[in-house]
Amino acid sequence: MRFVKPIIGCVLIIAALTGLFYWEYDGRMRWTTEEVLAAAVDIAEGEEVNANMFKKMRVLPECIIDGALRVSDVQKINGKICGRPVKANSQISLEFFDDVGDLIEEGSSIFVIKPSWIDTRSSSLRAGDTVHIYSETGDIYLGTFKVAFVKDDNEQEVVAADSILKRQNILDRKMSSRAANHIEIIATLDEYNAISAFVRDGMHSLMIVQKGEF
């Protein structure tokens, strides 16, 4: 029996040292951080991305960016186009990427729909939405367009103020960073001139009808 206590003491010391070793080399990182998706390499604006460009990274919960993707989300951005420069080891959000079909086609450009032209539009309208443009009475159809920007009266972009991504259900967009004043659409010059002439020559205004997923 006289050897029991020394043996128990040695076991406890070994267990404590093992626990300390585990905590310092793995436990602290595993239990105090969360896994997010990060860039494994520098990604240039306009570059098409694939799963090999990303890796998992552990960060403190308070350092996770709004809309951060998890490792299991990598397929959501596979094949998309990077809309901004992304440095290696940066966290990744779906907002950083666009579908190939979202890019401006040759012959198209970005044009302003002036606030004085707009009779009605939804307050939930955001960049990236698709809209149908009609006369103010809805009886004349002027085309379907992609919204490039929604701006306030100081030319600042209107975005969600509650971390709701623009691609989510439009009924979830209950808060915005500022009041919308006008929109900018992607169109050809002929399409824009037709809208401009319709408003200017006929003294009409426009109904902006949002096409969304409910």
Side-chain angles (χ1 to χ4, degrees):
M1 295 294 293
R2 62 178 179 175
F3 297 108
V4 173
K5 290 184 179 180
I7 292 173
I8 293 175
C10 290
V11 170
L12 292 176
I13 292 172
I14 293 171
L17 291 174
T18 301
L20 181 61
F21 179 85
Y22 166 77
W23 178 254
E24 291 297 329
Y25 286 89
D26 185 70
R28 186 194 304 274
M29 183 67 69
R30 184 179 301 274
W31 295 103
T32 63
T33 60
E34 297 181 22
E35 275 190 1
V36 297
L37 192 66
V41 296
D42 289 344
I43 304 173
E45 182 177 355
E47 186 174 0
E48 183 174 342
V49 301
N50 59 69
N52 295 327
M53 294 180 175
F54 304 98
K55 64 179 182 179
K56 65 180 179 182
M57 182 173 71
R58 302 195 72 94
V59 298
L60 294 171
E62 60 267 26
C63 296
I64 296 177
I65 64 173
D66 288 341
L69 295 180
R70 306 297 174 171
V71 177
S72 58
D73 295 326
V74 69
Q75 291 305 319
K76 293 182 179 180
I77 56 176
N78 191 38
K80 289 183 178 288
I81 302 299
C82 192
R84 66 185 74 179
V86 177
K87 291 293 186 182
N89 299 315
S90 298
Q91 295 179 56
I92 299 299
S93 168
L94 193 61
E95 291 285 275
F96 298 173
F97 305 94
D98 295 299
D99 291 321
V100 175
D102 290 340
L103 300 179
I104 297 177
E105 298 178 356
E106 186 174 355
S108 297
S109 190
I110 299 175
F111 297 96
V112 175
I113 301 297
K114 300 177 182 179
S116 60
W117 294 3
I118 300 173
D119 179 68
T120 182
R121 53 138 182 93
S122 170
S123 62
S124 67
L125 199 60
R126 299 287 183 269
D129 287 347
T130 298
V131 295
H132 306 300
I133 298 183
Y134 297 89
S135 62
E136 71 273 24
T137 57
D139 56 345
I140 299 176
Y141 170 70
L142 297 169
T144 298
F145 305 93
K146 180 76 73 174
V147 177
F149 300 102
V150 179
K151 298 290 188 68
D152 67 5
D153 54 3
N154 289 317
E155 294 293 328
Q156 298 298 308
E157 186 172 5
V158 177
V159 296
D162 49 6
S163 301
I164 298 296
L165 300 181
K166 66 184 180 186
R167 295 175 176 82
Q168 287 184 308
N169 191 320
I170 61 175
L171 296 178
D172 291 332
R173 301 171 181 175
K174 295 179 172 61
M175 298 178 62
S176 62
S177 58
R178 46 184 60 87
N181 177 261
H182 62 275
I183 68 173
E184 299 180 16
I185 62 170
I186 299 174
T188 65
L189 181 58
D190 288 342
E191 289 171 331
Y192 183 72
N193 282 338
I195 295 173
S196 177
F198 176 79
V199 173
R200 183 180 62 252
D201 299 338
M203 300 296 292
H204 293 289
S205 55
L206 305 175
M207 178 189 297
I208 311 297
V209 180
Q210 190 174 11
K211 179 182 177 182
E213 296 180 359
F214 295 85

